[in-house]
Amino acid sequence: MPKLNIQLPKGLETQPKEVREAVLETMRQALKLPKELPVTHSGGNEHNMWERNHDDLLADAEDDFYEYLQAPSTQRMADVFLALELTTDGIDMEKAFSMAWSAYSDELMKSPNKRQAKKNAKHLFSDLINAGKAKADQFLKYLQDGAPMTKKEISALNKLLKAKLPEYADKVEAFMTRAGGIGKIRNEAEKQNLQMVGMLVDRFPETIQAARRESLVLTTKEKAAKLPKRTTVMPLTPQESRAVEHATHSAASKITEVTARHIDGIKQLVLRAQKERWSVAKLQQALFDMYGEQNRDWRRVAITELSMATNDAYLSGLEEGESVVGMGSQDACKHCKQYVIGKDFTVMGEAPSEDTYSTDMKHVWAGKSNYGRRVSEYVPAIPMHPNCRCRWHRVSRFYKVPEGGGKPKLKESWELIQEERLKRGMGLDPNLPTPYSMRTSEG
Ligand SMILES: [Zn+2]
């Protein structure tokens, strides 16, 4: 399989024009380079977080990470229901969880390779309540008598809400390492011109340390006959593992923040219901709506943090000075369309010491993000925003992105030759046109 980062033949730039054109044309045909590269057709629906990511490897990671994150929330809310002697009778589940979630959940149940799927499905919550009823410690019976909770009850509620805080650190590292591996695989797949459809990974390392030692072994489903049966992707480089380490810290702190907010939300809701003498039905529905909201939070965290890890690892695997173009789905939001999709950027090896218009708008690096920025302050980065499913895609030296953005198009032979001459310190060939990008410096 030819590599797309192939060098142009030595001495090409000094050959007569006809020879150079012929050689480059032959190379293009050998590399099977299309006239232009599509810029959509990647990522997944940004407006429906329950729709599967178009990248199979990332889609599975999103499902697994989400499932891992939401499980403690489910248990916590079930514990609250049990302690308050609430039931799911008469609860409108569709209202709390949306049709899109229902469709997702049904789909998961059908999936044969999802071990947890049955437990993760719609009835999980009712099952938990039924299973817990016998041994429940119903110490907070909800009475609607308007009486404030006692100090003892509040402290019992606090204890209950914090009872099953999971030890996230190890697992989060495993998921971020997996995302980093997926970024690396994409990088290699592009270099070697491999299709990723139908690709399976034997096993992802679970720690960053392991990922620096162990190669990834890819196999393909038998149906995809055109692909090589087995491909090996080298362990993470120091730069790539650094990106994964940053992603791990950032995901862990995000999860801590969201968990604290969820716990606080439940507590406030229960206190308010007591104070305002809500009916049992009203409290049940309000808690369940909150549970639905928490579930969406975890899906958002899973998508966004995995995106950060995989795209940062991907950028870390590129050479400083390489070009990337943003790819996104057709239904991406206006911010992604305005700033990222179909736009090209120069990769920097490190974050710049100072933000300028050029670094903000024309460059990207691992770790560049819109975290903490208001919409009006957005800069091009992936993820652009929570739930963003755009990604970077290397633009090989054979392509250029048109001024103002769009699909990368094959460069003309003379452009490649001029670039090659400059790279080798030979100056431009006066008999050939000057590439647009070089006109300002050459006068
Ligand atoms: Zn977007």
Side-chain angles (χ1 to χ4, degrees):
M1 204 52 85
K3 298 211 171 194
L4 283 183
N5 57 351
I6 196 165
Q7 290 291 311
L8 297 182
K10 270 203 178 119
L12 178 70
E13 56 290 337
T14 56
Q15 296 294 316
K17 189 170 171 236
E18 301 76 35
V19 176
R20 299 183 296 204
E21 302 267 340
V23 168
L24 284 169
E25 216 33 58
T26 310
M27 283 179 75
R28 279 179 181 141
Q29 281 172 22
L31 293 165
K32 292 197 183 69
L33 301 179
K35 279 250 173 315
E36 55 180 38
L37 298 174
V39 289
T40 56
H41 197 69
S42 76
N45 196 327
E46 287 193 336
H47 306 283
N48 177 6
M49 60 166 82
W50 301 108
E51 191 177 284
R52 210 175 144 77
N53 197 308
H54 298 174
D55 176 323
D56 281 340
L57 293 178
L58 218 44
D60 286 344
E62 284 178 1
D63 287 349
D64 293 349
F65 196 24
Y66 155 69
E67 195 177 297
Y68 168 74
L69 291 170
Q70 64 82 32
S73 275
T74 302
Q75 187 63 59
R76 186 182 306 126
M77 193 59 90
D79 288 347
V80 171
F81 267 62
L82 287 166
L84 294 170
E85 279 186 72
L86 304 175
T87 66
T88 51
D89 297 346
I91 282 183
D92 183 349
M93 294 206 181
E94 296 284 314
K95 173 176 172 280
F97 274 82
S98 83
M99 296 293 283
W101 178 84
S102 277
Y104 166 82
S105 195
D106 290 345
E107 208 45 52
L108 263 193
M109 273 184 84
K110 280 189 248 157
S111 161
N113 54 359
K114 291 272 169 200
R115 275 176 292 119
Q116 303 277 323
K118 285 216 156 45
K119 279 197 267 166
N120 185 34
K122 279 186 216 172
H123 307 295
L124 168 69
F125 193 78
S126 314
D127 290 352
L128 277 179
I129 298 216
N130 291 331
K133 252 180 196 158
K135 50 183 176 172
D137 192 5
Q138 290 159 349
F139 55 91
L140 283 171
K141 185 166 171 53
Y142 183 66
L143 286 174
Q144 316 160 244
D145 54 4
M149 289 171 103
T150 62
K151 272 187 190 165
K152 208 177 144 198
E153 282 172 330
I154 294 215
S155 120
L157 180 62
N158 282 336
K159 205 174 148 202
L160 171 88
L161 290 172
K162 289 176 185 168
K164 284 169 187 123
L165 284 187
E167 203 40 73
Y168 281 118
D170 292 350
K171 269 294 189 180
V172 171
E173 181 176 336
F175 279 113
M176 292 302 117
T177 304
R178 179 168 161 189
I182 294 169
K184 174 119 190 171
I185 291 169
R186 251 184 45 232
N187 204 329
E188 285 301 310
E190 283 173 13
K191 272 193 205 158
Q192 300 186 36
N193 209 8
L194 301 175
Q195 286 289 319
M196 283 181 67
V197 180
M199 232 177 224
L200 302 169
V201 178
D202 284 4
R203 195 184 64 81
F204 283 102
E206 299 228 318
T207 64
I208 298 168
Q209 218 182 6
R212 291 200 53 181
R213 289 192 311 262
E214 298 167 18
S215 303
L216 291 169
V217 179
L218 314 178
T219 48
T220 47
K221 289 176 198 162
E222 279 175 42
K223 276 182 191 165
K226 276 192 204 160
L227 309 174
K229 283 251 155 58
R230 238 173 108 90
T231 310
T232 306
V233 172
M234 297 304 280
L236 297 188
T237 62
Q239 291 89 337
E240 287 162 340
S241 49
R242 212 171 72 152
V244 172
E245 212 169 323
H246 280 302
T248 302
H249 296 328
S250 129
S253 105
K254 186 79 204 166
I255 292 164
T256 308
E257 174 204 316
V258 172
T259 304
R261 178 158 55 76
H262 285 178
I263 287 177
D264 215 44
I266 297 172
K267 189 176 159 187
Q268 283 181 29
L269 196 63
V270 172
L271 293 176
R272 189 172 157 213
Q274 299 258 7
K275 186 171 133 197
E276 297 179 8
R277 304 181 72 170
W278 287 4
S279 69
V280 167
K282 185 174 174 183
L283 176 59
Q284 282 175 182
Q285 185 68 46
L287 279 170
F288 207 78
D289 288 348
M290 181 172 272
Y291 171 50
E293 189 61 44
Q294 293 179 353
N295 241 23
R296 287 188 283 280
D297 283 346
W298 290 129
R299 182 72 172 172
R300 189 179 311 116
V301 169
I303 292 172
T304 313
E305 299 302 319
L306 287 168
S307 163
M308 188 109 55
T310 201
N311 280 291
D312 279 354
Y314 177 83
L315 288 180
S316 302
L318 299 181
E319 301 285 327
E320 169 130 27
E322 275 197 83
S323 289
V324 290
V325 61
M327 310 274 257
S329 56
Q330 235 124 24
D331 59 8
C333 73
K334 62 175 183 179
H335 306 297
C336 290
K337 283 179 175 160
Q338 183 185 346
Y339 289 107
V340 166
I341 297 172
K343 314 283 184 214
D344 62 322
F345 302 91
T346 306
V347 175
M348 297 179 83
E350 305 235 359
S353 51
E354 188 183 1
D355 294 343
T356 63
Y357 178 81
S358 168
T359 61
D360 276 355
M361 305 310 286
K362 296 305 291 172
H363 293 80
V364 290
W365 55 90
K368 188 182 186 189
S369 94
N370 280 314
Y371 190 80
R373 286 179 195 267
R374 275 177 283 193
V375 171
S376 61
E377 300 165 340
Y378 271 177
V379 293
I382 296 181
M384 261 307 274
H385 52 79
N387 278 339
C388 180
R389 278 166 157 175
C390 292
R391 31 189 122 117
W392 296 124
H393 190 90
R394 164 198 284 110
V395 182
S396 88
R397 63 183 308 169
F398 287 93
Y399 289 90
K400 62 172 176 192
V401 176
E403 286 291 310
K407 296 175 181 179
K409 290 186 169 50
L410 266 180
K411 286 177 187 168
E412 302 289 335
S413 299
W414 59 262
E415 290 181 274
L416 288 168
I417 292 163
Q418 293 289 48
E419 284 174 11
E420 192 67 12
R421 288 181 64 95
L422 282 186
K423 228 172 92 181
R424 299 189 184 184
M426 298 171 69
L428 294 168
D429 181 337
N431 300 314
L432 294 174
T434 305
Y436 186 82
S437 58
M438 296 170 192
R439 276 177 206 172
T440 42
S441 54
E442 297 293 316

